[in-house]
Amino acid sequence: MKKSLHLIVLMLFCIQYSSSVQAQSVQELKSWNMDIDKVGKMHRLLEAYTWMKQFSGVVIVAKDEHPVFKYTTSYANLDYKIPNSLNTRYNLSNITHILTATIIMQLIEEGKISRYNYIKEYLPSLPLGEFEQITIHHLLTHTSGIKDYYQTPEYISNFTEIKTIDDLTAIILKQPLLFGVGTKVEISESNYVLLAKIIEEYAQKPFREYMQDKIFDLADMQDSGAYFWDEIVNNKAIGYTFKESGTPSSPPSHLGAFPFGADAVYSTSEDLLKFMIAFNQHLFITAESIKKMLSYGFPIADGTTFQYGWRTKKLGTQDVMFQNGSIEGLSVDLRHYPGDGYTLIVLSSYFEDKAIELADHIEKVLYEENYVVARHPLAFFLNEIIKEDGIEFLVDNIDFILEVNNYKLDKVWTLYSLGYDLMDTGRMKEAGEIFKINIAKFPNQPMAYDSMGAFYNKNGNYELALQNFQQKLKFIPGDKRALSMVNYLLEKITTVNN
């Protein structure tokens, strides 16, 4: 069975979906130099994911400081049917690393610490041996070799007893290093707990209180904060995974989460935009410090680089700043494109890594001129299958694909519009096959023959184009477009034959 058959069987759970789009006026979008066609594509993309029941969450796209697109859909809490909103709080997962690293850079600016100093200078209780070679730089870039505490049996069996950051660091510092310091990169939440411990040494207050002062208050992030795993946070999204039957399941907080620099920070889409605006306006740290955050990282095989809190990747000529993560049903993705001023925020409460998947699609909308976002959600779905497994696979399996997903191809316009989208972007082979499927499904619909005729005409096959427009005239004898095309094609064929 081909790969996509596993991917396309959607969860058919009984949940009502509603979505809300808050786009700016056309005049405002133009004043901000925002491409209106891209806004339309983003809307169609999110509507398609909502229609397929594959997204529950919040999206904000901004250009410079201006939010050009806002979208919310489905529920942050299924039990109480609480809808997602721009004020819904989400666990930030690894985006927390950006906040912790920013505070570290503040301390570096103040001359209180140095990023290339050994951490033993700031943590006297550090064990001797391998740990003595670790610097703040190694912690920031996940190159220390320190094991992720979430993967240690001692943490898993004792997390309910952890009350302070010292309780957690004691567990972390007992673990042997996984690799030589500075020799490779491997994400470990332990690195950012130790950074938070260093921050506490200088702040002389709990990390989450210091973060409140140095990040949230400065950026007016009133719906953001940090929490312990057993604390109740109002209006916080719950992550859901789904069983094969489609029944939603909310995983328990069985491993805990602590406000110690690595995770357990919540925020909203609008607060994250406030953070990015303040970050780019140098409200937290100077332009020179931001340059240092993004200049001394560790590259990995996928072409991305682990920087200080951020990750970076090349997109054309610009270095994109991003960070993302997931926690069993919840996923988040934050991206900033310095060259064009875009900021992209995706928060999702259903499925694994859905925010990352959607952010990838939106990035293509923003940067790939010929990226097709079909006008009908079912057409979007079918086009994704084409891109995944090819047009031949779709042709051979379309009835099965529709059946297992409980979808109905009940209008000629679905494939009509998809075929034109493909044709307009030069995907001629795929467009032709889509138009053929449309005729097979709707043999009595004149527009199916109109689009097939247009396809053959564009590809110089005037005889077949003529046959299709003549077929359309059998259904609509006086159709002006068909009559005009028939006359044109007869002249074209005569000219070619002579």
Side-chain angles (χ1 to χ4, degrees), residues 347-375:
L347 311 176
S348 172
S349 57
Y350 292 175
F351 305 109
E352 190 73 16
D353 292 334
K354 188 60 65 173
I356 300 167
E357 176 185 330
L358 265 174
D360 285 342
H361 279 295
I362 296 171
E363 184 175 283
K364 290 176 181 178
V365 169
L366 294 174
Y367 287 98
E368 294 183 14
E369 184 177 347
N370 290 331
Y371 181 68
V372 173
V373 181
R375 289 165 176 79

Side-chain angles (χ1 to χ4, degrees), residues 89-129:
R89 293 164 165 171
Y90 275 76
N91 185 314
L92 293 188
S93 185
N94 289 346
I95 294 176
T96 303
H97 297 177
I98 300 172
L99 310 182
T100 303
T102 300
I103 296 174
I104 287 290
M105 296 307 295
Q106 289 173 342
L107 293 175
I108 291 173
E109 281 186 359
E110 296 167 5
K112 295 179 178 178
I113 61 176
S114 171
R115 59 200 171 102
Y116 288 123
N117 281 0
Y118 296 114
I119 62 174
K120 66 181 180 180
E121 297 182 28
Y122 312 110
L123 302 175
S125 61
L126 200 71
L128 301 175

Side-chain angles (χ1 to χ4, degrees), residues 167-192:
D167 295 334
L168 185 52
T169 55
I171 294 174
I172 292 170
L173 296 178
K174 289 179 182 178
Q175 311 305 316
L177 297 186
L178 297 177
F179 52 84
V181 177
T183 61
K184 60 183 291 188
V185 59
E186 187 171 311
I187 295 177
S188 171
E189 307 298 338
S190 298
N191 291 311
Y192 278 73

Side-chain angles (χ1 to χ4, degrees), residues 29-309:
L29 293 174
K30 288 182 177 179
S31 70
W32 300 330
N33 295 316
M34 183 62 198
D35 188 329
I36 297 171
D37 181 58
K38 291 178 181 179
V39 175
K41 283 186 176 182
M42 288 188 287
H43 181 202
R44 297 201 300 271
L45 173 71
L46 272 298
E47 286 292 283
Y49 265 82
T50 295
W51 181 84
M52 294 187 297
K53 299 183 175 66
Q54 284 288 290
F55 177 54
S56 169
V58 186
V59 173
I60 289 184
V61 179
K63 185 166 175 45
D64 300 319
E65 300 175 7
H66 309 293
V68 296
F69 182 75
K70 298 180 181 181
Y71 186 95
T72 65
T73 188
S74 195
Y75 297 108
N77 187 310
L78 283 172
D79 293 327
Y80 297 98
K81 295 294 186 290
I82 300 173
N84 275 299
S85 73
L86 297 172
N87 296 318
T88 300
R89 293 164 165 171
Y90 275 76
N91 185 314
L92 293 188
S93 185
N94 289 346
I95 294 176
T96 303
H97 297 177
I98 300 172
L99 310 182
T100 303
T102 300
I103 296 174
I104 287 290
M105 296 307 295
Q106 289 173 342
L107 293 175
I108 291 173
E109 281 186 359
E110 296 167 5
K112 295 179 178 178
I113 61 176
S114 171
R115 59 200 171 102
Y116 288 123
N117 281 0
Y118 296 114
I119 62 174
K120 66 181 180 180
E121 297 182 28
Y122 312 110
L123 302 175
S125 61
L126 200 71
L128 301 175
E130 295 173 300
F131 279 82
E132 291 186 289
Q133 302 303 311
I134 298 172
T135 66
I136 287 178
H137 170 81
H138 292 132
L139 296 180
L140 287 166
T141 54
H142 294 284
T143 54
S144 68
I146 300 173
K147 189 173 184 178
D148 188 338
Y149 64 87
Y150 278 117
Q151 307 301 319
T152 64
E154 187 175 356
Y155 171 80
I156 294 171
S157 60
N158 295 289
F159 79 88
T160 57
E161 304 302 317
I162 294 174
K163 305 300 179 184
T164 69
I165 196 169
D166 289 332
D167 295 334
L168 185 52
T169 55
I171 294 174
I172 292 170
L173 296 178
K174 289 179 182 178
Q175 311 305 316
L177 297 186
L178 297 177
F179 52 84
V181 177
T183 61
K184 60 183 291 188
V185 59
E186 187 171 311
I187 295 177
S188 171
E189 307 298 338
S190 298
N191 291 311
Y192 278 73
V193 172
L194 292 178
L195 288 170
K197 175 59 180 173
I198 292 171
I199 291 168
E200 285 199 2
E201 289 292 315
Y202 283 92
Q204 292 300 298
K205 64 169 63 175
F207 173 78
R208 69 171 173 175
E209 292 182 18
Y210 194 70
M211 181 169 54
Q212 183 70 44
D213 295 339
K214 295 296 185 177
I215 300 292
F216 301 141
D217 288 348
L218 283 178
D220 191 32
M221 298 167 66
Q222 298 182 21
D223 286 317
S224 302
Y227 67 102
F228 284 86
W229 66 274
D230 55 352
E231 291 179 348
I232 295 175
V233 178
N234 292 330
N235 199 28
K236 181 174 170 289
I238 296 174
Y240 293 93
T241 55
F242 296 87
K243 302 175 183 178
E244 289 188 6
S245 63
T247 304
S249 174
S250 176
S253 300
H254 61 282
L255 291 181
F258 299 92
F260 301 151
D263 52 19
V265 169
Y266 61 83
S267 190
T268 68
S269 57
E270 292 197 315
D271 268 9
L272 281 175
L273 181 56
K274 288 181 179 179
F275 171 81
M276 283 309 309
I277 291 172
F279 187 87
N280 290 322
Q281 291 179 343
H282 311 137
L283 193 62
F284 305 126
I285 55 178
T286 65
E288 181 62 28
S289 290
I290 292 176
K291 183 178 179 180
K292 290 176 181 177
M293 284 187 82
L294 304 172
S295 300
Y296 300 97
F298 199 101
I300 58 176
D302 67 357
T304 66
T305 301
F306 279 80
Q307 308 283 8
Y308 294 178

